[in-house]
Amino acid sequence: MVTVTIKDIARDLNLSTSTVSRALRDSYEINPETKRLVTEYAERLNYRPNPIALSLKENRSRVIGVIVPQIANNFFSQVINGIEAAAHDRGYHVIIFQSHESYEQEMITLQQAVARKVDGLLISLSSSTSDVSQIKELQQRKLPIVLFDRVVNDLDILCVTADNFGGAFAATEHLIQTGRRRIAHLAIPPHISITQERLAGYRAALEKYEIPYDENLIRYASFGQNEVEPIIDELLSYNPDAFFAASDRLSTSCLAALKSRNIAIPEQVSLIGFTNLPVADLLAPPMSTVEQPALEIGQMAAEQLINLIEGKQKDIQPGTNRIPTTMVIRASSQPAGK
Amino acid sequence: MVTVTIKDIARDLNLSTSTVSRALRDSYEINPETKRLVTEYAERLNYRPNPIALSLKENRSRVIGVIVPQIANNFFSQVINGIEAAAHDRGYHVIIFQSHESYEQEMITLQQAVARKVDGLLISLSSSTSDVSQIKELQQRKLPIVLFDRVVNDLDILCVTADNFGGAFAATEHLIQTGRRRIAHLAIPPHISITQERLAGYRAALEKYEIPYDENLIRYASFGQNEVEPIIDELLSYNPDAFFAASDRLSTSCLAALKSRNIAIPEQVSLIGFTNLPVADLLAPPMSTVEQPALEIGQMAAEQLINLIEGKQKDIQPGTNRIPTTMVIRASSQPAGK
DNA sequence: TTGTAAGCGTTATCAT
DNA sequence: ATGATAACGCTTACAA
């Protein structure tokens, strides 16, 4: 595609490129008449500065990289939405990379992002990642990085997450307050930060109400196919009176499994899920939910990253920023007797 | 962030940058020994060519732009997934732009993408777009463009869509075959190509079974809030015995509206939706669905675009490529008497 | 076989 | 007030 450059304008107007550049850039002393001439002509030709040339010169791309496990996922697509909004507001574009829940892919993708010269990186770790040394190394090499959602507890790195502890606590407390005592907890893999936080919230609620913690009621599922069904069966053998599912996919899998076993919700067991499903209201049987502020997480993460990039980071402390979750109790999910 | 350039290698090895470049690029006659030296050293320093410098030189960015109405949407996020996969396979990265269903925003975004020097553009038109002159103009200026899903019927431009006609025909035929005759059709705005195609499929099925076409049963809804409820009420006043909802959002809105009016599905009315909802199986009352091959649409669109970009387009005719849809009939969505 | 130089588009520095 | 030049990182004629 042919495009107009500063050279074209200079040639046509019998000026030097530096003069044209100055006129456009509004800098320095320049003849107002020349300036008018140039800007008008540039306007007429629909001149746009070449960001690639600028990137080369300024050694910055105005692109931020986002690494997520999957795009085609409600939560992450909403987060990306928030990231885009905040980034565009500040003149950045976004390139998305997927790790597909694989550590190896995540590392490859990390290298690609760096090679692509992103100005900074927003990362939500893959479920199979336990080693963040490469990320830390890039950080030490001065690449601005902010983690979100699936983070790692490490004070040196800026993080943005939902209030997983609070959400899990509220969910568990709700179940207890509606008379449940044997609450099964279906979680994603244990080494991920959010798993630990949600589990901690769950335990804290149990403790508050002096309900014993039973390890048999805790199960972890990764992201494979058909992993959940047998786990549900195992859990059911311990006679739970409620399920707390700790992720989007686990919530729906759990719902489907209970449905197919003709287990009445909430008569036989209650169900509450950590999920951002847009159609949760239409699901049957109804499930109460804890929703993560996906959009806000994305916005905040992007803003903090851009502050880092632009060196405006005095006021923000490294550490984790937690954004509150929203619990949605669906009336008919409460036990009939209540 | 400090990174290694060809200059660093040249300096350290007492060579010229061109020699280093040649050694790395594997081109030209070069001393095998020198080559070994250079490649090994580059490897050791983890040298990566600067894509920005390459872009400037080669006048191509190896980035394709994608303009969609919304990212946070099942269908589009799945399409993007497919686009990413195909693009990465061929060494391209993807920058995503959102039109938020606004024509103005779409035009701004189009300019941004062009200014960003994308090598090509994949576009799904916003619902408020009727004028594609800017897109055609860019195309005439030799920017490779492929439209997908929401396309415009114009033989000059390459398009990839689902088989909307076929899907709508199948859905309508299914409703007829299960005894329905007054089938309400809830569609997205009429000027969008997919609306017309789905409507045509609907009409064709009616004609095949010699059922009169009743305009009162056809309604259009845009993407605003709370638009659907009153429309459903209007439609209900014409006593439909089935609803065919032509989009993701309309399907769920329709389901919600019918549910809140205590209209039994499928006893009173049947419902079939054009939707890619991942949890359709869990919805109650059950709705049959026509699913679009989102991933495949994304892959095919990206492949065709990259072929265009790389000039390998001899074998592919301009026009529209239609990928079949999948109809999922949920048993309990059939009328009880059947 | 290797080095020199020009060029991609832009801006900053230093003349003029 | 404006022009010439160098530089960002890389490739590629052309020269040696």
Side-chain angles (χ1 to χ4, degrees), chain B residues 288-301:
Chain B
S288 290
T289 56
V290 178
E291 286 176 20
Q292 300 193 74
L295 192 84
E296 291 81 359
I297 291 176
Q299 285 176 325
M300 185 169 193

Side-chain angles (χ1 to χ4, degrees), chain A residues 68-109:
Chain A
V68 291
Q70 308 268 357
I71 302 173
N73 168 302
N74 276 307
F75 174 70
F76 288 118
S77 64
Q78 286 177 55
V79 172
I80 291 170
N81 198 5
I83 293 172
E84 287 266 322
H88 279 228
D89 278 355
R90 303 198 39 187
Y92 285 77
H93 285 277
V94 173
I95 296 190
I96 294 162
F97 301 85
Q98 302 187 70
S99 64
H100 296 291
E101 303 287 7
S102 142
Y103 174 68
E104 288 71 31
Q105 186 56 40
E106 187 171 80
M107 290 305 105
I108 292 171
T109 260

Side-chain angles (χ1 to χ4, degrees), chain A residues 3-25 38 41-42 45 47-50 53-54:
Chain A
T3 44
V4 183
T5 74
I6 245 178
K7 275 190 178 177
D8 299 320
I9 299 177
R11 180 177 21 75
D12 295 356
L13 261 40
N14 270 314
L15 290 168
S16 73
T17 56
S18 22
T19 306
V20 175
S21 172
R22 272 191 294 253
L24 260 19
R25 207 117 298 282
V38 172
Y41 191 68
L45 263 52
Y47 166 80
R48 293 282 176 276
N50 183 336
L54 285 175

Side-chain angles (χ1 to χ4, degrees), chain A residues 62-220:
Chain A
R62 286 197 164 274
V63 168
I64 63 185
V66 178
I67 304 180
V68 291
Q70 308 268 357
I71 302 173
N73 168 302
N74 276 307
F75 174 70
F76 288 118
S77 64
Q78 286 177 55
V79 172
I80 291 170
N81 198 5
I83 293 172
E84 287 266 322
H88 279 228
D89 278 355
R90 303 198 39 187
Y92 285 77
H93 285 277
V94 173
I95 296 190
I96 294 162
F97 301 85
Q98 302 187 70
S99 64
H100 296 291
E101 303 287 7
S102 142
Y103 174 68
E104 288 71 31
Q105 186 56 40
E106 187 171 80
M107 290 305 105
I108 292 171
T109 260
L110 199 58
Q111 292 310 319
Q112 285 185 341
V114 173
R116 267 279 169 187
K117 300 280 174 197
V118 297
D119 287 346
L121 224 31
L122 291 171
I123 308 175
S124 191
L125 299 170
S126 102
S127 59
S128 52
T129 300
S130 51
D131 174 12
V132 293
S133 55
Q134 293 226 44
I135 292 174
K136 297 218 68 177
E137 196 208 314
L138 284 174
Q139 194 194 209
Q140 271 148 23
R141 285 170 56 202
K142 302 296 175 210
L143 180 69
I145 296 180
V146 171
L147 303 185
F148 66 92
D149 187 46
R150 305 220 203 131
V151 306
V152 82
N153 290 314
D154 184 326
L155 285 177
D156 293 351
I157 199 156
L158 214 50
C159 300
V160 179
T161 70
D163 178 10
N164 292 297
F165 179 93
F169 185 93
T172 312
E173 185 169 49
H174 167 71
L175 290 170
I176 296 169
Q177 287 175 344
T178 53
R180 307 290 150 165
R181 293 184 58 88
R182 294 192 54 72
I183 302 169
H185 183 43
L186 189 55
I188 50 178
H191 56 274
I192 303 187
S193 61
I194 52 179
T195 304
Q196 293 307 325
E197 293 174 23
R198 291 172 191 179
L199 189 57
Y202 164 84
R203 291 190 71 155
L206 292 186
E207 270 167 36
K208 178 174 171 192
Y209 292 90
E210 294 175 348
I211 295 175
Y213 171 74
D214 181 353
E215 281 216 346
N216 293 315
L217 292 174
I218 313 296
R219 294 300 150 102
Y220 303 97

Side-chain angles (χ1 to χ4, degrees), chain B residues 207-279:
Chain B
E207 270 167 37
K208 176 173 173 193
Y209 292 90
E210 294 176 347
I211 296 175
Y213 172 75
D214 181 355
E215 282 217 346
N216 292 316
L217 291 173
I218 314 296
R219 293 300 150 101
Y220 304 96
S222 334
F223 295 83
Q225 296 289 324
N226 307 323
E227 250 184 89
V228 177
E229 295 274 330
I231 291 178
I232 297 280
D233 284 327
E234 285 178 41
L235 280 172
L236 283 172
S237 73
Y238 290 97
N239 301 311
D241 53 19
F243 279 83
F244 172 32
S247 88
D248 229 281
R249 221 184 41 92
L250 292 179
S251 301
T252 49
S253 300
C254 191
L255 187 55
L258 293 175
K259 204 171 178 179
S260 75
R261 281 161 187 68
N262 287 316
I263 294 175
I265 301 174
E267 292 76 14
Q268 288 174 264
V269 300
S270 288
L271 173 61
I272 189 161
F274 227 105
T275 164
N276 281 41
L277 269 185
V279 291

